[in-house]
Every structure is written in structure tokens, then in C-alpha cells.
Amino acid sequence: MDHPEESAEVFTAALLLSTVWDYYAAMINLEKLYFNKYVINLGLTKDLVYRVLREKDMFQKRDCWDFEKISQCKTGRDFDTRFHVPQFGYKSVEDYWNDVRVTGGTHRFQIPVFALNSYDDPMMPGNALPIPEAMEENSNLGLIVTSRGGHLGFLEGMSTKPKKVHYMERFTSEFVQAVSLYSNELTNV
């Protein structure tokens, strides 16, 4: 969001799905509760570590990481501290999280931004969603919050036959269609 005016030159509208609006709130949520901590946080971190180590040769061109420490990461906090903080030159993980948080900065959106989040998302807890910002007069944020959906889950119904298309896919398709049909109206908002 460093150059919000540029977005209006390139985009008509934007769609965000399961956005992590506040990394600090997300990490606090991922570090509590057994399932969040030992299934989601640990699993996500293992995957991130695997991907970085798999591409180690590429990353070594930039001499700012200790790959031994990265290989020992067990949490998202560890990973952000050992990978993102040195990558971008932050003093602490808290400084990094504060800088990448979107909550508190939605007033800078220059185009209509529609966001689909779930209140039960372990990556972005419902109590930290930018609902007050979306409700402000002249806000360019349309925040759609479902009670269930987890993180990118948004499944529908109970059936023995898996559906090919679920809520999120249908929502995204309808969003793209609406923007293409009504783009002139969106630019005048």
C-alpha cells in the first residue's frame, strides 16, 4: 500500500480471499489452542521451511539468511523472525508484522476492494477483522464475513458426492463477471 494511487490506474476493483489483515493477531491465534498450534502452525511452518531449503541455492545469492536456523523453525513466528525479518531488514518480527498489517490502512484503498473472510479462520480470527473500517462512511472496503469457512475452506453442504465448485469459487466467478459488466459504475464510486 505504499503507492495506492497506482492501483486506481491499473485496477477497477480487487478481491481478497481469506486475507490475513493483522499478522500479530493471526500469530497469537496460531500459537494457542492445540489444533491451531500443532496442526496448522507447525504444518504451515514445515512447508515454508521445506520450500526455502529446496530453493536454498537461489536464496544464497542474497547473503542474509542463516539456513541452519531456518531449518529449525517450528512456528510461523520462528519463520518470520529468521526469514522475513532479515530479508527485509527489520529490527524485530513485531516491526515486520506491524508494517505488513492491513488493518488500520484500509482508508488508503483507492479502488473498491471486496474481501471474503470467515469468522472462524484460524489464520485470521474474526475478532481482528477490520469490520469497523468497512463500516466507515466512504470506505472502499466491502467486507463479507461468513460464520464458517476456516482459511480458504468455504465448503457447502453435506453430501456423499464432492462438489466441484464451492462458495469461494462461485463467489470469485460472480465477482469477476460483475466487475466486467459494471466496471464503469465502479470507477465512479
Side-chain angles (χ1 to χ4, degrees), residues 55-95:
E55 302 298 333
K56 184 178 175 181
D57 291 342
M58 178 188 68
F59 285 118
Q60 283 181 324
K61 294 175 185 172
R62 192 151 173 240
D63 188 29
C64 64
W65 294 289
D66 182 333
F67 292 99
E68 180 62 34
K69 286 184 179 177
I70 290 172
S71 71
Q72 296 168 8
C73 291
K74 301 287 185 224
T75 66
R77 182 185 298 265
D78 292 343
F79 185 81
D80 284 349
T81 300
R82 297 171 186 172
F83 185 80
H84 289 121
V85 168
Q87 178 183 22
F88 298 113
Y90 286 95
K91 292 180 183 170
S92 69
V93 72
E94 290 80 9
D95 287 344

Side-chain angles (χ1 to χ4, degrees), residues 58 75 86 94 97 100 118 126 128 138 171 180-181 185:
M58 178 188 68
T75 66
E94 290 80 9
W97 289 341
V100 297
S118 169
N138 298 320
F171 182 87
S180 66
L181 287 172
E185 293 178 38

Side-chain angles (χ1 to χ4, degrees), residues 10 17 24 35 94 109 117 134 139 160 162 164:
V10 179
L17 302 170
Y24 186 76
F35 185 79
E94 290 80 9
F109 290 171
N117 276 84
S139 173
T160 55
K164 292 183 181 177

Side-chain angles (χ1 to χ4, degrees), residues 15-26:
L15 176 62
L16 308 175
L17 302 170
S18 294
T19 300
V20 177
W21 298 90
D22 183 333
Y23 276 77
Y24 186 76

Side-chain angles (χ1 to χ4, degrees), residues 115-120 126 129 131 143-148 154:
L116 176 63
N117 276 84
S118 169
Y119 205 82
D120 71 346
L129 292 172
I131 295 170
L143 183 60
I144 299 97
V145 182
T146 62
S147 58
R148 303 247 184 282
F154 302 106

Side-chain angles (χ1 to χ4, degrees), residues 4-181:
E5 63 283 346
E6 291 178 10
S7 63
E9 295 173 12
V10 179
F11 300 102
T12 302
L15 176 62
L16 308 175
L17 302 170
S18 294
T19 300
V20 177
W21 298 90
D22 183 333
Y23 276 77
Y24 186 76
M27 209 51 65
I28 294 299
N29 202 53
L30 285 173
E31 290 173 344
K32 62 182 184 180
L33 302 177
Y34 184 86
F35 185 79
N36 291 7
K37 185 175 186 176
Y38 295 107
V39 176
I40 299 172
N41 197 348
L42 181 62
L44 178 64
T45 303
K46 281 184 173 184
D47 185 60
L48 291 169
V49 167
Y50 167 77
R51 291 171 187 274
V52 167
L53 295 179
R54 183 183 67 194
E55 302 298 333
K56 184 178 175 181
D57 291 342
M58 178 188 68
F59 285 118
Q60 283 181 324
K61 294 175 185 172
R62 192 151 173 240
D63 188 29
C64 64
W65 294 289
D66 182 333
F67 292 99
E68 180 62 34
K69 286 184 179 177
I70 290 172
S71 71
Q72 296 168 8
C73 291
K74 301 287 185 224
T75 66
R77 182 185 298 265
D78 292 343
F79 185 81
D80 284 349
T81 300
R82 297 171 186 172
F83 185 80
H84 289 121
V85 168
Q87 178 183 22
F88 298 113
Y90 286 95
K91 292 180 183 170
S92 69
V93 72
E94 290 80 9
D95 287 344
Y96 168 68
W97 289 341
N98 189 52
D99 204 33
V100 297
R101 83 190 280 263
V102 183
T103 303
T106 63
H107 64 279
R108 294 171 49 196
F109 290 171
Q110 298 294 308
I111 59 171
V113 175
F114 298 89
L116 176 63
N117 276 84
S118 169
Y119 205 82
D120 71 346
D121 185 342
M123 299 284 291
M124 186 64 248
N127 63 351
L129 292 172
I131 295 170
E133 292 177 58
M135 295 173 63
E136 290 175 4
E137 191 173 339
N138 298 320
S139 173
N140 274 332
L141 174 61
L143 183 60
I144 299 97
V145 182
T146 62
S147 58
R148 303 247 184 282
H151 190 72
L152 299 172
F154 302 106
L155 304 177
E156 291 181 279
M158 305 235 348
S159 174
T160 55
K161 293 182 180 179
K163 291 184 175 187
K164 292 183 181 177
V165 176
H166 289 279
Y167 180 73
M168 184 176 66
E169 291 87 354
R170 199 173 62 252
F171 182 87
T172 301
S173 175
E174 290 173 5
F175 171 81
V176 171
Q177 289 173 2
V179 168
S180 66
L181 287 172

